[in-house]
Amino acid sequence: MIEERFDAIVVGAGMAGNAAALTLAQRGLKVLQLERGEYSGSKNVQGAILYADMLEKLIPDFREDAPLERHLIEQRFWMMDDNSHTGLHYRSDDFNEEKPNRYTIIRAQFDKWFSKKVQEAGAVVLCETTVTELLQDARGKVIGVRTDRKNGKVGADVVVLAEGVSGLLGTRAGLRSRPDPNKVALAVKEMHFLPQETLEARFNLKGDEGAVIEAVGTISEGMTGMGFIYTNRESISLGIGCLVSDFERTGQTPYGLLEKFKSHPSVRALIEGSEVKEYAAHLIPEGGYKAIPQLFGDGWVVVGDAAQLNNAVHREGSNLAMTSGRLAAEAIFQIKSRRDPMTKENLALYRKMLEDSFVMKDLKKYRDMPDLLHIRAQNFFLTYPQLVSKAMKDFVRVDGVTKAEKEKATLRSFLAARSLKGIIGDAFNFARAWR
């Protein structure tokens, strides 16, 4: 193992880890990044959404060579029952701009490219290296890491934990508690490959245009969860995720939910004839602001999913991960520039920078939403989607029954499922959590 000492060690090479390592290396610090996969992105076979603004702050010219799939011009939201969906559809040609705002990417390819940029900036990147524990001195200050390599101890002034939502290193070292199953979702995804012309015809796209569909309803069997479909160049990323605690409580399987989602009439037509080549499962932090653990301490900071930095309401993760990694690195650089030690008191600068950014401001705004959706899951993910579907079906069907009779029947259906007081209460609580 490397015997020299580093200014910083970054554990993990996902969005947050790469952002942190790149920023540190760009500012001239001596950086070691450790990744247990064969290469950065080797454990990520899924597709994802990339937010351009956050990456531009790190790599302004990323569009020149980054492996981007499609820029997004269309967003669909579906509320589903077993045989239908009611949708909200937004599409704008304004998104066919010179520098698009959002892209679909395939993480295995993108993370590998991102890691190359980290290495070009001067960081030492070691893959196929598992960090087994954090090294601490007699006072508990983190002073480096131990890896599974021979003579695997490496010292550093500070360790950046970008290890993902499970956070095993931080947990083992007593720096954080285990993630709460009520605050973590398990998502499963498949990659469905189709000829490019077929995919574009089904989604009404051309060139590099892309679309996203996000869906809630009976597909999650009354659990807190969401389905999603992303268009890539010649494939569709399709998946669904629900809270881990709900899987434990109900005995439902992630793959069973995925099969149900795929077989829904609204989805089946979009993937008909596709070839499935990849399947993956991934843990996603869903607890929001209230689930954020301690973010810094003597000799360490935590970023990205490991810090529970995910905006579940707006389905944003990569932008928060990249921003947190960048801000952690900037805080470390400022402390290093002052020749100050990496103490808990000094590293509190990272938390302050996060609080001043959109990351914490957005998470604070929706801090009550995750709890509400979990507590009222049966209503929001089962009862209301079924009632909305029935109301829409009655609205569009013409069969000789008067509109007044149909309206009364719809109202009776809502009241039979939920009292008027309950419906008003849910609406009020939802609006308050959305405030």
Side-chain angles (χ1 to χ4, degrees):
M1 194 63 189
I2 300 174
E3 296 182 359
E4 58 187 308
R5 184 177 178 84
F6 291 85
D7 294 319
I9 294 174
V10 179
V11 180
M15 291 290 198
N18 281 333
L22 176 66
T23 304
L24 290 165
Q26 287 174 333
R27 282 152 179 72
L29 273 65
K30 191 174 182 181
V31 184
L32 173 65
Q33 185 180 36
L34 301 172
E35 164 60 35
R36 63 186 175 89
E38 181 182 355
Y39 56 87
S40 177
S42 63
K43 305 187 303 298
N44 291 319
V45 301
Q46 77 271 24
I49 295 178
L50 172 73
Y51 299 90
D53 182 69
M54 290 69 197
L55 185 58
E56 271 185 319
K57 289 180 171 61
L58 297 163
I59 309 172
D61 60 352
F62 77 89
R63 293 179 180 85
E64 294 180 5
D65 61 347
L68 307 171
E69 291 292 305
R70 292 180 177 273
H71 69 275
L72 295 173
I73 66 161
E74 180 176 305
Q75 180 85 40
R76 306 181 198 175
F77 298 97
W78 287 357
M79 182 177 288
M80 309 176 78
D81 70 357
D82 290 343
N83 296 303
S84 65
H85 76 265
T86 304
L88 175 66
H89 186 153
Y90 180 73
R91 181 186 180 109
S92 175
D93 195 54
D94 289 344
F95 292 129
N96 282 315
E97 52 201 332
E98 182 180 356
K99 293 184 176 182
N101 177 252
R102 297 192 303 164
Y103 297 87
T104 54
I105 58 172
I106 296 175
R107 285 288 302 275
Q109 300 170 11
F110 181 84
D111 288 9
K112 194 173 185 178
W113 169 86
F114 204 169
S115 180
K116 182 181 178 182
K117 297 298 181 182
V118 173
Q119 295 172 61
E120 290 174 353
V124 177
V125 179
L126 289 183
C127 295
E128 298 184 282
T129 304
T130 300
V131 179
T132 57
E133 67 174 317
L134 297 175
L135 300 178
Q136 296 172 276
D137 64 16
R139 296 184 178 181
K141 183 180 187 296
V142 173
I143 55 174
V145 301
R146 185 192 304 276
T147 74
D148 60 352
R149 294 194 175 214
K150 184 178 180 181
N151 301 321
K153 292 184 178 180
V154 192
D157 294 335
V158 64
V159 174
V160 179
L161 295 170
E163 53 180 337
V165 65
S166 57
L168 296 177
L169 283 176
T171 301
R172 290 171 186 161
L175 306 180
R176 55 173 285 177
S177 58
R178 292 182 60 186
D180 185 343
N182 287 320
K183 310 295 184 184
V184 177
L186 175 61
V188 289
K189 297 183 180 182
E190 288 181 346
M191 296 288 284
H192 289 251
F193 286 80
L194 285 166
Q196 183 172 337
E197 60 273 16
T198 302
L199 187 151
E200 290 173 358
R202 289 181 182 179
F203 288 86
N204 190 25
L205 304 171
K206 64 179 185 295
D208 293 334
E209 294 175 343
V212 168
I213 301 172
E214 294 174 327
V216 298
T218 60
I219 53 170
S220 64
E221 299 285 355
M223 299 186 290
T224 305
M226 174 176 283
F228 46 88
I229 297 173
Y230 305 152
T231 56
N232 304 312
R233 193 173 298 275
E234 294 182 322
S235 65
I236 295 171
S237 300
L238 181 149
I240 189 169
C242 293
L243 292 179
V244 171
S245 59
D246 282 346
F247 283 124
E248 294 175 339
R249 175 179 56 82
T250 65
Q252 295 279 349
T253 64
Y255 190 76
L257 291 186
L258 183 61
E259 286 299 308
K260 180 178 180 179
F261 185 42
K262 287 162 50 180
S263 64
H264 191 282
S266 298
V267 177
R268 188 170 62 238
L270 296 176
I271 61 173
E272 183 178 2
S274 65
E275 181 181 4
V276 182
K277 292 186 178 180
E278 297 174 349
Y279 173 83
H282 181 60
L283 290 174
I284 303 172
E286 295 283 339
Y289 185 79
K290 295 179 180 179
I292 296 173
Q294 177 66 30
L295 295 176
F296 59 93
D298 286 333
W300 62 274
V301 295
V302 60
V303 297
D305 281 3
Q308 293 279 324
L309 299 177
N310 182 63
N311 188 334
V313 177
H314 286 273
R315 287 81 55 204
E316 296 176 14
S318 65
N319 55 334
L320 277 67
M322 287 188 287
T323 301
S324 66
R326 176 177 60 83
L327 293 180
E330 289 178 356
I332 290 168
F333 175 71
Q334 287 189 33
I335 295 167
K336 192 76 175 175
S337 298
R338 299 194 300 259
R339 300 183 182 277
D340 289 337
M342 296 294 167
T343 61
K344 181 177 181 179
E345 180 181 12
N346 289 331
L347 287 169
L349 174 62
Y350 163 51
R351 173 81 190 213
K352 182 182 184 303
M353 293 171 75
L354 266 183
E355 293 283 357
D356 292 340
S357 74
F358 79 94
V359 174
M360 289 300 200
K361 291 176 181 177
D362 282 353
L363 290 178
K364 280 183 180 179
K365 176 178 175 61
Y366 302 112
R367 59 182 175 270
D368 295 325
M369 187 64 78
D371 289 339
L372 174 64
L373 294 179
H374 187 206
I375 294 170
R376 301 293 189 187
Q378 284 283 322
N379 294 343
F380 289 118
F381 297 94
L382 192 62
T383 302
Y384 294 147
Q386 290 174 325
L387 292 173
V388 168
S389 176
K390 184 180 184 307
M392 291 304 300
K393 186 183 298 182
D394 288 342
F395 181 81
V396 300
R397 186 187 291 276
V398 178
D399 53 9
V401 179
T402 67
K403 299 298 185 288
E405 288 176 288
K406 287 189 175 184
E407 290 167 2
K408 289 178 181 178
T410 298
L411 180 59
R412 285 196 298 269
S413 296
F414 271 85
L415 295 179
R418 293 283 293 151
S419 69
L420 182 59
K421 182 178 179 181
I423 294 173
I424 294 174
D426 283 342
F428 174 77
N429 288 328
F430 188 85
R432 185 175 62 178
W434 193 270
R435 65 188 181 281

